[in-house]
């Protein structure tokens, strides 16, 4: 059938089973938004307050579902406002398709009004991007974009479409989504070597990364941990891949990981890393990481092998396929002395926290965890509250935790929460934020109110840029340069101005009754929790130190 380019975009989205998109209209996407009006009964468009919020919402939609998130923005500043969200998705391997408008084809390269080379700008932070200059290429390009975003190691793809292309007409024929490119498969020899290493180990350490969630291998990872009889640690991106209530779970490893994980790393005889890229926040000092034992790394992306640390055996492949193959080769192992020692460390080094005034972040998050039975979808901004969330909320399932790990994007969490809530209307979604992050994205409270998305904005309000201030306290002689947030913002009044109900917590006694009220609300709600500015994130590994020797106090 003969359709406009904009209608072809809609039909291609429907081909990919897209039911929700996030965006903001503008001149170069007028044709697209006119088509969205026509297709509004099949595609739900959520207009965010800012294009960056749309990118983060598409990201949250994708992380919480495993499906591709879609965002739309106009040319020029609309497109560039997406870039931080695209880079966030790229660093954390999130499948996303960003559709941008541009000026007419004959105006490209002339510094036209609201023109920018968005494909050039986003080249380093996308898996691939496209500029569609001919309408006959439009449908196939969009189909390819979705295929690339989901194949192998997922990531964002940008499709830039000039306005005149969206207005032209062309014959459209419906097609099924393209098959995903098959992941690499490890050789039988490689699998046998890995199985021998696993069978020989007496004190194995199993470390899970975000790739376990991406590949859908959480159940296999849990079975593998039991078969290997190993303790388990996770990266920030892997929260929920292993049930935090399981006694095998030791908490995170890395700069703000647990002392138990550090002791297990120091004493293990085999380090097994699945679906992780060994970021600097995990390794800390790469030259001092696991020097005493062999490292077995399983990853779908060959570029991650020996990029940040040398490993003894590389197994390239999808985590799900590799774990299934290894389970078929590995007999049931028993390491009672090793597991008993881990249990001793867990009792010896619990995560603790004291607060001189206000409400304690640990108590806030642990109460939230209990009231939601560890089953809420939790997003965060970036900073101290992000680490406290990973430490104290006991995630049970994959795709519960949404946070910017690689790029560390302040302002990410609220948009991500909106995307997750739109995708999961029957789930409780909570964004745990700092006051610095909320200052960056508070406009998205208007989006929550407009669409009555019942997100809980849980504000850990310590009136400082907490993580940066913590470093200033430790390494810069307590010279708190520009980290005191003395703005006097009344966040409850701000929320109410946007149409969001608000509560405040002043001390520990108020935590449970206020959180119960907030969680019972049918619409969006903000909870302003007053927290002592001198509460620090501990344990902590200082820059240049070994991850095996974290600081337990400051």
């Amino acid at each position: 059938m003969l359709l406009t380019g904009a209608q072809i975009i809609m039909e291609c989205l429907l081909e990919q089973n897209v039911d929700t998109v996030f965006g903001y209209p503008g001149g170069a996407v007028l044709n697209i938004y006119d088509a969205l009006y026509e297709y509004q009964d099949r595609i739900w468009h959520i207009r965010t307050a800012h294009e960056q919020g749309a990118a983060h919402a598409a990201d949250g939609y994708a992380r919480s579902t495993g499906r591709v998130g879609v965002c739309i923005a106009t040319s020029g500043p609309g497109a560039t406002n997406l870039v931080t969200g695209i880079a966030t998705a790229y660093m954390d391997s999130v499948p996303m398709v960003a559709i941008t408008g541009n000026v007419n084809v004959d105006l490209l390269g002339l510094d036209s009004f609201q023109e920018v080379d968005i494909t050039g700008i986003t080249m380093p932070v996308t898996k691939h991007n496209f500029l569609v200059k001919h309408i006959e290429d439009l449908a196939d390009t969009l189909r390819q974009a979705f295929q690339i975003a989901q194949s192998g190691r997922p990531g964002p793809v940008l499709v830039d479409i000039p306005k005149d292309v969206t207005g032209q007409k062309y014959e459209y024929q419906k097609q099924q989504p393209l098959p995903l490119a098959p992941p690499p498969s490890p050789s039988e020899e490689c699998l046998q070597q890995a199985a021998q290493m696993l069978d020989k180990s007496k004190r194995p350490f199993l470390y899970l990364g975000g790739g376990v969630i991406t590949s859908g291998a959480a159940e296999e990872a849990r079975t593998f941990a039991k078969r290997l009889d190993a303790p388990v640690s996770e990266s920030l991106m892997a929260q929920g891949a292993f049930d935090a209530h399981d006694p095998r779970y030791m908490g995170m490893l890395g700069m703000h990981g647990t002392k138990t994980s550090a002791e297990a790393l120091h004493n293990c005889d085999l380090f097994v890393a699945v679906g992780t890229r060994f970021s600097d926040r995990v390794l800390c000092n790469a030259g001092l990481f696991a020097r005493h034992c062999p490292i077995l790394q399983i990853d779908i992306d060959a570029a991650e092998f020996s990029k940040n640390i040398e490993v003894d055996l590389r197994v390239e492949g999808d985590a799900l396929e590799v774990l299934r193959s290894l389970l078929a080769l590995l007999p049931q192992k028993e390491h009672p002395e090793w597991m008993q020692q881990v249990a001793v460390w867990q009792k010896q080094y619990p995560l603790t926290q004291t607060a001189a005034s206000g409400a304690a972040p640990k108590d806030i998050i642990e109460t939230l965890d209990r009231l939601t039975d560890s089953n809420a979808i939790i997003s965060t901004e970036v900073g101290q509250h992000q680490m406290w969330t990973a430490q104290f909320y006991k995630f049970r399932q994959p795709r519960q935790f949404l946070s910017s790990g690689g790029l560390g994007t302040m302002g990410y969490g609220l948009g991500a929460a909106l995307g997750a809530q739109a995708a999961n209307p029957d789930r409780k979604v909570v964004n745990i934020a700092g006051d610095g992050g909320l200052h960056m994205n508070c406009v998205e409270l208007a989006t929550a109110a407009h669409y009555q998305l019942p997100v809980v904005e849980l504000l850990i309000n310590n009136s400082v840029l907490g993580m940066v201030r913590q470093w200033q306290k430790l390494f810069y002689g307590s010279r708190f340069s520009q980290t005191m947030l003395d703005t006097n913002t009344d966040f409850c009044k701000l929320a109410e101005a946007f149409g969001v109900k608000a509560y405040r917590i002043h001390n520990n006694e108020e935590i449970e009754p206020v959180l119960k009220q907030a969680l019972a609300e049918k619409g969006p709600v903000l909870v302003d929790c007053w927290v002592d500015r001198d509460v620090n994130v501990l344990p902590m590994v200082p820059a240049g130190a070994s991850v095996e020797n974290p600081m337990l106090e400051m």
Side-chain angles (χ1 to χ4, degrees):
M1 54 185 157
L2 193 64
L3 299 178
T4 66
Q7 290 171 322
I8 289 173
I9 294 171
M10 299 301 111
E11 292 292 341
C12 287
L13 293 178
L14 292 174
E15 283 181 7
Q16 303 294 328
N17 298 312
V18 172
D19 55 14
T20 307
V21 299
F22 307 88
Y24 202 92
V29 288
L30 274 171
N31 293 329
I32 296 175
Y33 273 81
D34 189 57
L36 278 165
Y37 184 87
E38 179 185 351
Y39 283 75
Q40 61 184 299
D41 61 331
R42 286 170 283 176
I43 298 175
W44 184 23
H45 179 277
I46 295 179
R47 186 193 65 245
T48 54
H50 191 282
E51 289 92 350
Q52 184 172 323
H56 293 326
D59 178 304
Y61 180 100
R63 291 196 207 213
S64 66
T65 64
R67 299 166 60 188
V68 179
V70 180
C71 55
I72 301 173
T74 193
S75 62
T80 57
N81 282 343
L82 292 179
V83 173
T84 297
I86 292 170
T88 300
Y90 181 76
M91 290 290 284
D92 290 343
S93 304
V94 178
M96 177 194 295
V97 170
I99 298 172
T100 54
N102 214 325
V103 299
N104 288 351
V105 172
D106 60 354
L107 296 177
L108 291 171
L110 302 180
D111 294 329
S112 304
F113 176 68
Q114 289 193 333
E115 181 201 356
V116 72
D117 178 13
I118 194 62
T119 53
I121 290 170
T122 59
M123 189 176 294
V125 293
T126 53
K127 282 189 73 176
H128 197 77
N129 60 32
F130 300 90
L131 172 60
V132 183
K133 292 185 177 181
H134 306 285
I135 190 169
E136 56 266 31
D137 299 328
L138 180 56
D140 286 342
T141 300
L142 286 166
R143 292 163 182 147
Q144 190 177 356
F146 276 86
Q147 180 193 45
I148 292 170
Q150 299 171 87
S151 292
R153 181 177 180 174
V157 178
L158 181 136
V159 183
D160 192 35
I161 311 170
K163 184 177 181 180
D164 52 342
V165 173
T166 64
Q168 295 166 6
K169 291 190 173 183
Y170 192 71
E171 193 67 28
Y172 164 80
Q173 289 186 341
K174 184 177 180 179
Q175 293 186 14
Q176 292 297 313
L178 297 172
L180 302 186
S185 294
S187 67
E188 186 61 30
E189 180 183 2
C190 192
L191 289 170
Q192 290 289 347
Q193 285 182 286
Q196 290 172 12
M197 292 176 73
L198 295 166
D199 188 54
K200 181 181 177 182
S201 173
K202 303 300 182 185
R203 300 184 306 280
F205 184 127
L206 179 58
Y207 179 64
L208 306 179
V212 172
I213 294 175
T214 300
S215 66
E219 195 60 43
E220 284 72 13
R222 297 175 189 190
T223 303
F224 185 72
K226 294 175 184 176
R227 181 76 58 84
L228 186 58
D229 197 23
V232 179
S233 182
E234 291 174 333
S235 71
L236 183 71
M237 290 291 93
Q239 295 301 299
F242 197 85
D243 187 351
H245 292 263
D246 192 302
R248 294 183 185 279
Y249 184 59
M250 300 181 292
M252 285 196 301
L253 176 70
M255 183 174 287
H256 295 295
T258 63
K259 177 65 172 174
T260 298
S261 291
E263 288 291 334
L265 175 63
H266 182 71
N267 289 276
C268 71
D269 66 1
L270 175 65
F271 188 83
V272 183
V274 185
T276 180
R277 61 188 179 87
F278 284 116
S279 78
D280 57 298
R281 290 300 174 103
V282 172
L283 297 177
C284 295
N285 186 325
L288 300 176
F289 187 89
R291 292 178 300 172
H292 62 282
C293 70
I295 299 174
L296 165 61
Q297 184 180 5
I298 299 167
D299 204 275
I300 198 170
D301 188 353
E304 296 299 342
F305 292 126
S306 300
K307 185 177 81 172
N308 297 328
I309 188 173
E310 290 293 333
V311 300
D312 296 87
L313 181 62
R314 313 167 182 181
V315 182
E316 183 185 357
D318 179 72
L320 179 63
E321 179 188 351
V322 173
L323 288 178
R324 284 177 174 173
S325 298
L326 290 176
L327 282 168
L329 297 172
L330 184 66
Q332 179 62 52
K333 307 300 293 180
E334 302 291 342
H335 305 119
E337 293 182 5
W338 175 231
M339 293 306 300
Q340 287 169 12
Q341 179 59 72
V342 170
V344 169
W345 289 325
Q346 288 172 322
K347 291 180 180 178
Q348 187 176 355
Y349 302 113
L351 289 170
T352 60
Q353 187 183 87
T354 56
S357 62
K362 177 178 184 289
D363 292 327
I364 295 168
I365 295 169
E366 287 184 340
T367 302
L368 175 70
D369 175 65
R370 176 167 49 82
L371 293 177
T372 58
D373 194 27
S374 305
N375 278 313
I377 295 174
I378 306 290
S379 64
T380 74
E381 308 299 340
V382 170
Q384 288 179 318
H385 64 277
Q386 178 189 32
M387 296 299 108
W388 289 325
T389 301
Q391 289 178 336
F392 301 126
Y393 197 94
K394 295 185 179 297
F395 295 95
R396 292 180 181 273
Q397 302 165 355
R399 303 200 179 280
Q400 270 188 269
F401 181 66
L402 321 175
S403 194
S404 174
L407 196 64
T409 305
M410 289 181 67
Y412 164 84
L414 183 51
L418 298 177
Q421 189 71 83
N424 302 272
D426 297 327
R427 296 283 299 276
K428 180 56 66 178
V429 178
V430 180
N431 179 47
I432 301 178
D435 41 322
L438 183 54
H439 271 125
M440 289 189 174
N441 66 13
C442 63
V443 291
E444 297 306 339
L445 290 171
T447 308
H450 177 72
Y451 293 97
Q452 279 299 289
L453 295 168
V455 167
V456 177
E457 178 80 353
L458 185 61
L459 175 61
I460 308 298
N461 184 359
N462 56 9
S463 301
V464 293
L465 289 176
M467 190 62 86
V468 183
R469 185 178 187 274
Q470 180 170 327
W471 279 69
Q472 288 174 335
K473 181 178 181 179
L474 198 60
F475 304 113
Y476 293 86
S478 294
R479 294 185 295 277
F480 300 129
S481 176
Q482 301 303 316
T483 50
M484 305 294 286
L485 299 179
D486 48 359
T487 59
N488 296 318
T489 302
D490 186 325
F491 288 103
C492 287
K493 289 183 178 178
L494 179 68
E496 289 166 353
F498 281 118
V500 173
K501 197 160 188 176
Y503 298 94
R504 182 166 282 134
I505 291 173
H506 301 87
N507 51 53
N508 276 10
E509 289 70 32
E510 296 177 349
I511 293 174
E512 182 158 346
V514 172
L515 284 184
K516 281 183 176 179
Q517 284 182 291
L519 291 167
E521 291 290 341
K522 301 301 183 184
V525 58
L526 179 142
V527 182
D528 183 10
C529 307
W530 286 4
V531 171
D532 187 343
R533 66 183 53 176
D534 287 314
V535 179
N536 296 304
V537 178
L538 293 169
M540 177 181 178
V541 179
S546 169
V547 72
E548 297 175 14
N549 295 296
M551 297 169 49
L552 301 183
E553 57 185 26
M554 286 178 59

